[in-house]
Amino acid sequence: INCPYICYMKTSDALQMASFASPQEQLVLTVLNTASGLLSKHRMLLKPHGITPEQFNILRILRGQKGKPIALRDISNRMIDKNSNTSRLVDKLLDKGLVQREACPADRRRVDIVLTASGQQLTEALKNIMDREMSSLEDVWSQEDARAAIAVLDRWNEQQH
């Protein structure tokens, strides 16, 4: 299949695999393939706004703080991609005027991050875009299916540690 942008298809077709060693292998490859597709879609949606999915993750975390500053290390701990260079990402958001750094009055070594007004506006607009994208999942995932998948994947994630 020739796809100019993002193509969604069964994992076996996308990876051109007729069979898998086990259902568990197929599950892992399906999860990885699906995550890659979602990340590509997010990149495509965010790119016109000059934001990467990793930067959006930081903006989403800051939005959840409701104006309350948060330490850089705490942002790092809440990132979806734990390998992200949070400090570098925050610097890029700072250059764009979307976040600001504040010295913590209680601990001078601590640097807190907070959304600027323009960062808040952009984050709201991007949240609306992402919410519309997420609503399209309802065509495939019922609430019951989504909750069941979350439970299984959470169980899997808990066993990985």
Side-chain angles (χ1 to χ4, degrees), residues 126-142:
L126 295 175
K127 180 192 176 306
N128 292 335
I129 291 168
M130 293 306 199
D131 284 352
R132 281 193 302 275
E133 178 63 23
M134 290 298 130
S135 71
S136 71
L137 294 175
E138 294 170 5
D139 296 340
V140 177
W141 290 86
S142 68

Side-chain angles (χ1 to χ4, degrees), residues 43-107:
R43 281 192 198 293
M44 188 177 75
L45 292 170
L46 295 169
K47 188 174 183 171
H49 305 278
I51 298 294
T52 66
E54 296 80 11
Q55 291 169 344
F56 179 67
N57 189 197
I58 291 173
L59 294 174
R60 182 192 57 78
I61 291 166
L62 293 173
R63 181 180 174 277
Q65 289 295 111
K66 298 181 180 9
K68 221 173 79 184
I70 182 172
L72 187 64
R73 70 174 176 271
D74 295 329
I75 294 172
S76 293
N77 291 337
R78 294 166 82 179
M79 291 291 288
I80 293 170
D81 180 358
K82 301 299 183 197
N83 294 318
S84 293
N85 183 339
T86 309
S87 181
R88 183 182 56 79
L89 293 167
V90 166
D91 286 344
K92 289 184 182 251
L93 294 170
L94 188 68
D95 291 344
K96 295 175 186 190
L98 301 174
V99 301
Q100 63 187 32
R101 294 176 191 236
E102 296 180 349
C104 177
D107 182 352

